[in-house]
Amino acid sequence: MNAVSRVAIAVSVALSAPAIAAPTAPELPQTAEAIERLQITGERQSGYLVNDQDSASKLPLSIKDTPQTVSVISAEKLKDFALNDINSAVEYSATVNVEQVETDRTYFSSRGFELTNIQTDGLGLNHDYGTTTGRVDAALYERIEIVHGANGVMTGVGSPAATVNLIRKKPTSASQASISTMLGSWQAKRVEADVSGALTDSWRARAVLVADDRESYLDRYATNSQVAYLVMDYAPTTSTLITFGYSEHRNDSDGNLWGALTLYYGDGTPTNFARETNISANWSYWNVTKKQSFIDLESQLSDRWKLRAAYQRTRTDEDSQLFYTYLPDPATGLDPQTGLGLVGYASEYDYDDKQDNFDLYLSGNFNAFGGDHEVVFGVSHARLDFIDSSLYDFTTGNGFPAMPRLEDWDGNTPLPSFTDGLAGSDINTEQQAFYSQARFSLGADTKLLVGGRWNEFTAEGIGYGVDRFRDEQKFIPYFGVTHALSDATTVYASYTETFKAQNLRDRNFELLPALTGESAEIGLKTALLGDKALLSMAYFDITQRNLAVSDGTVMNPNTNAPEVVYRAADGVSSSGFEIELSGELLAGLQGSIAATSFDVDGDALVENYTPENLFRSSLTYQFEQLAALKVGASFLWQDSTSRLQGLVGPSYANAGQPIITEQGAYGRLNLMASYQFSEQLMLTLNANNVFDKTYLNSLLWAQGYYGAPRNFSASLRYQF
């Protein structure tokens, strides 16, 4: 029995009986009063409209009063469209583009730039490589908040793309328990349990357990996930709430992609492989285990001042055996007649990291100059230590085998010895910050936000033969202003800067300089339909310097293996518009409709592989005469992209012509229907990509693979 299973059983036994028998919210004066005084916002939402946010500022600002665009993927949307993993969920947001370059490694982008700030309850270090690995389950989270643009006061670093903040599920005062089962295409099976309630008048608890097992439309690819989560809160007084918890997530993948399909033949014609084509070996796997513990203390010191201290500890363990394919002679490329020319490249890769985040801040309000003003002062400390290693096989012939045609590839290749060319990293990084933000009342309707964050970032260690020492400091200013035109409508403007030390290397295997930039935004937010819906419109303008752009593949002299390298592009800019409408749009009609349109300028490669127009809509309708039935549809659309892959080599008649991979504009329609048989029992049916659109997931890399064809799932949920 593995560790996750043992934790799952322990949590289930510990909570199932007392939680269901616990007293309800009215009998919990201590906890209820503490929650009311501390203004905990986690449970205040209705349908697809969420009024409060925890991600853009540590000041108590509603989404309408925040001088940046904020999108929220609510609990109801997650449930309606069976968004059971973070990649699927974030793809439904107004502005984020999910760059699925491999099966188990994902990049995100927004407003034309890489999104590297992914947090949990406001804590988490910027991702140096901008990736998430493994299948990250969404069952732990009540909702997902996305702050569009730079978020320097909250994060201090990162690109001006966006910040994704995963808001954990918290204990509830009312006793509740549910279990759901799901069956889907490609042998997908899922069981999820969620139990919550009060234990005493000052203790509450919640547990979530998940087992998810599924195969894939890709040959040989399958995943198995197990999740266990326990969170408790304790109100020692009516002014203090302590929340603490632990989660463990294990994701095991077999037959995973490392890299993806070669998209062109040597003469420049597209390969057009079948959607199920997979380059992996039959022994390929990538196992990721993440353990996270946290504690959060909030205390109302007086009627005006509140103190919060939060600590989060994350431990990640990744083990993998990977198989990649590449063209050793780009001038000849993949032979258009025989399909030969690829060489396999095997590696055993292990990664372990330890991440600790601590945040302490004091927030409150004061009267001065005839107005009431709000202010926050805080300090934070984050440390990330990681070790990784790569092993190869240069001696047996199994480490770099010649490939057959991919149409004939079944993954059958001998397991390499993985005893050669040991290389890796041992890196320690620290970030310390001091920050402050104030919201001044310039009048009854006008508020000025002024803030800043001083960051010190240090790193030491060796990574694949390169010294990773860095010692950089940066002050990040923030300015914003809001003006209420009426009770329903607010206009705003904001400006901030960005800074991110980079770990990527150039052709000389030297680190790229720090990524810096500025981001400005103006916009309007208005409540509609009696405050049941919110319309947001924004124009943004961004400039980035030293943006990392792929610069091909070269042989690493330390490992004797091919490696992707990067160049620093200067003066890459993005400007455009976003609009989003969310909430109850008509009686019974819940939904969100969002569109983004922008222009990337300054680097042709980035301009071409970035989708500059996005449309996202999710709508559900509950019939008045048949309230048990709900039907819905979502439509995800993006415009065309392309990538210059190089020039046709001299051995072909069309030598010198550019090789361009193109993905035309495409949209995917997804449908859902649910029926509430009783207060306890509900059935939900989902159909994804119902028109069976064939598309490449991403052109961020020179390689790529195809998205999932039409697929279905059915979920049965029982609420106790």
Side-chain angles (χ1 to χ4, degrees):
M1 183 182 295
N2 61 43
V4 175
S5 298
R6 290 194 294 269
V7 172
I9 292 172
V11 169
S12 179
V13 172
L15 283 184
S16 58
I20 294 174
T24 57
E27 300 176 35
L28 305 173
Q30 191 158 300
T31 305
E33 188 172 343
I35 291 172
E36 183 178 354
R37 293 192 64 178
L38 291 165
Q39 298 181 326
I40 304 298
T41 61
E43 297 177 86
R44 295 211 302 268
Q45 60 182 27
S46 174
Y48 283 25
L49 177 64
V50 179
N51 293 312
D52 298 305
Q53 57 80 29
D54 297 322
S55 307
S57 173
K58 289 181 167 64
L59 297 171
L61 301 180
S62 68
I63 289 178
K64 190 162 74 71
D65 292 331
T66 301
Q68 284 181 257
T69 305
V70 180
S71 298
V72 181
I73 303 169
S74 68
E76 188 162 335
K77 184 187 288 190
L78 293 172
K79 183 175 65 175
D80 284 343
F81 290 98
L83 306 179
N84 295 319
D85 65 274
I86 297 305
N87 288 353
S88 300
V90 171
E91 193 173 29
Y92 271 65
S93 72
T95 185
V96 177
N97 188 50
V98 178
E99 302 280 7
Q100 192 77 54
V101 296
E102 299 170 322
T103 52
D104 288 65
R105 182 163 47 180
T106 307
Y107 296 77
F108 304 99
S109 65
S110 179
R111 297 183 172 181
F113 297 109
E114 188 178 58
L115 190 164
T116 57
N117 291 328
I118 300 177
Q119 301 187 327
T120 305
D121 282 345
L123 291 177
L125 272 174
N126 173 78
H127 289 228
D128 275 331
Y129 296 103
T131 64
T132 60
T133 53
R135 182 182 182 277
V136 182
D137 204 282
L140 277 62
Y141 308 110
E142 186 70 28
R143 66 186 188 278
I144 301 172
E145 298 181 354
I146 300 168
V147 181
H148 303 210
N151 198 7
V153 174
M154 291 286 281
T155 65
V157 295
S159 77
T163 298
V164 174
N165 191 12
L166 310 174
I167 307 299
R168 293 187 184 95
K169 291 179 177 177
K170 303 299 192 301
T172 58
S173 296
S175 299
Q176 62 182 49
S178 66
I179 185 168
S180 62
T181 60
M182 184 273 289
L183 296 175
S185 299
W186 309 301
Q187 306 299 314
K189 300 175 286 292
R190 179 182 176 88
V191 178
E192 179 180 333
D194 186 342
V195 182
S196 182
L199 306 178
T200 69
D201 64 347
S202 57
W203 285 89
R204 305 185 304 173
R206 187 168 189 170
V208 177
L209 303 173
V210 178
D212 189 292
D213 186 83
R214 59 187 66 207
E215 296 180 12
S216 170
Y217 66 98
L218 294 173
D219 292 337
R220 301 181 299 283
Y221 181 58
T223 63
N224 180 275
S225 297
Q226 293 176 302
V227 181
Y229 171 56
L230 170 64
V231 58
M232 303 181 74
D233 62 28
Y234 169 58
T237 71
T238 57
S239 300
T240 301
L241 188 69
I242 303 171
T243 305
F244 55 95
Y246 173 82
S247 65
E248 188 167 328
H249 187 297
R250 180 179 177 88
N251 182 81
D252 295 341
S253 297
D254 293 322
N256 57 280
L257 285 168
W258 183 37
L261 306 176
T262 297
L263 300 175
Y264 56 94
Y265 291 106
D267 63 357
T269 56
T271 51
N272 292 326
F273 294 115
R275 280 188 285 192
E276 65 269 17
T277 305
N278 187 347
I279 64 168
S280 73
N282 54 14
W283 41 258
S284 297
Y285 70 86
W286 195 335
N287 298 337
V288 180
T289 299
K290 177 171 288 190
K291 303 175 182 179
Q292 198 167 70
S293 52
F294 63 93
I295 184 168
D296 192 318
L297 181 148
E298 292 188 82
S299 183
Q300 192 75 37
L301 303 179
S302 69
D303 290 340
R304 289 185 174 270
W305 295 95
K306 182 174 73 173
L307 179 71
R308 182 190 179 196
Y311 168 74
Q312 180 172 276
R313 179 181 189 266
T314 305
R315 300 295 184 259
T316 305
D317 178 21
E318 299 184 21
D319 299 300
S320 59
Q321 290 182 348
L322 307 171
F323 193 79
Y324 179 79
T325 59
Y326 71 102
L327 296 168
D329 184 2
T332 302
L334 195 63
D335 191 304
Q337 302 301 319
T338 66
L340 302 179
L342 286 170
V343 171
Y345 161 24
S347 176
E348 180 180 282
Y349 178 72
D350 297 315
Y351 174 91
D352 295 283
D353 76 30
K354 300 177 181 179
Q355 184 177 152
D356 295 276
N357 297 271
F358 175 75
D359 188 50
L360 172 69
Y361 68 89
L362 178 70
S363 62
N365 59 79
F366 62 95
N367 288 313
F369 312 110
D372 194 49
H373 316 287
E374 298 160 300
V375 66
V376 59
F377 304 97
V379 296
S380 69
H381 176 83
R383 182 179 177 92
L384 171 65
D385 302 330
F386 73 87
I387 298 174
D388 69 344
S389 63
S390 298
L391 283 166
Y392 308 91
D393 180 354
F394 299 125
T395 56
T396 69
N398 296 332
F400 294 85
M403 294 287 291
R405 296 186 334 135
L406 282 185
E407 292 88 343
D408 302 328
W409 174 244
D410 61 1
N412 188 20
T413 186
L415 178 68
S417 64
F418 295 130
T419 57
D420 301 327
L422 177 63
S425 306
D426 188 349
I427 310 293
N428 304 316
T429 64
E430 281 191 271
Q431 177 182 293
Q432 303 191 62
F434 301 91
Y435 58 87
S436 180
Q437 190 175 24
R439 185 176 187 243
F440 297 107
S441 296
L442 304 184
D445 301 322
T446 305
K447 311 292 182 182
L448 173 67
L449 273 79
V450 180
R453 181 179 178 118
W454 181 86
N455 287 282
E456 180 179 17
F457 183 88
T458 60
E460 58 183 11
I462 303 296
Y464 293 88
V466 177
D467 189 346
R468 298 295 182 89
F469 175 79
R470 286 174 290 177
D471 187 355
E472 300 175 276
Q473 298 84 35
K474 179 71 174 179
F475 177 75
I476 306 294
Y478 178 86
F479 303 96
V481 62
T482 63
H483 179 72
L485 299 177
S486 66
D487 290 341
T489 303
T490 298
V491 293
Y492 69 87
S494 61
Y495 168 86
T496 189
E497 297 178 4
T498 60
F499 167 82
K500 178 193 172 188
Q502 303 192 84
N503 266 342
L504 300 174
R505 295 176 286 181
D506 62 18
R507 285 182 167 270
N508 298 318
F509 294 96
E510 296 179 351
L511 293 175
L512 297 181
L515 177 69
T516 61
E518 298 88 30
S519 176
E521 180 176 333
I522 59 173
L524 176 147
K525 301 179 185 182
T526 186
L528 302 174
L529 307 173
D531 291 335
K532 294 181 179 179
L534 181 67
L535 174 66
S536 301
M537 296 183 288
Y539 171 80
F540 57 87
D541 186 76
I542 302 165
T543 300
Q544 287 277 270
R545 292 178 290 276
N546 301 321
L547 181 70
V549 178
S550 176
D551 196 25
T553 302
V554 299
M555 296 300 293
N556 186 322
N558 295 300
T559 63
N560 294 318
E563 181 176 321
V564 176
V565 293
Y566 298 83
R567 58 181 172 83
D570 215 2
V572 178
S573 63
S574 171
S575 59
F577 297 89
E578 292 174 343
I579 183 169
E580 180 177 13
L581 175 63
S582 59
E584 186 175 5
L585 310 182
L586 294 171
L589 181 66
Q590 290 278 348
S592 62
I593 303 171
T596 301
S597 179
F598 57 90
D599 291 314
V600 175
D601 191 26
D603 188 274
L605 183 64
V606 179
E607 294 172 29
N608 291 333
Y609 69 58
T610 301
E612 296 180 333
N613 296 283
L614 303 173
F615 178 80
R616 305 280 191 262
S617 68
S618 308
L619 299 170
T620 64
Y621 184 73
Q622 201 149 8
F623 293 87
E624 183 178 358
Q625 301 302 321
L626 187 58
L629 177 64
K630 180 195 287 188
V631 296
S634 67
F635 187 66
L636 314 179
W637 179 90
Q638 68 178 53
D639 68 349
S640 59
T641 57
S642 64
R643 187 180 181 96
L644 176 63
Q645 305 279 22
L647 302 177
V648 176
S651 57
Y652 297 96
N654 59 337
Q657 287 189 358
I659 301 174
I660 299 175
T661 300
E662 296 181 327
Q663 170 58 63
Y666 68 92
R668 286 172 291 148
L669 177 66
N670 308 314
L671 301 176
M672 67 79 57
S674 66
Y675 192 84
Q676 191 86 39
F677 291 99
S678 66
E679 290 185 7
Q680 291 79 32
L681 185 64
M682 182 173 70
L683 173 68
T684 302
L685 304 176
N686 292 92
N688 299 315
N689 193 8
V690 295
F691 293 133
D692 204 26
K693 179 67 179 178
T694 299
Y695 61 95
L696 287 166
N697 281 305
S698 173
L699 291 178
L700 182 66
W701 289 2
Q703 299 176 328
Y705 75 105
Y706 296 99
R710 183 189 299 116
N711 60 94
F712 306 92
S713 68
S715 301
L716 194 64
R717 183 173 186 266
Y718 189 82
Q719 178 108 19
F720 296 92

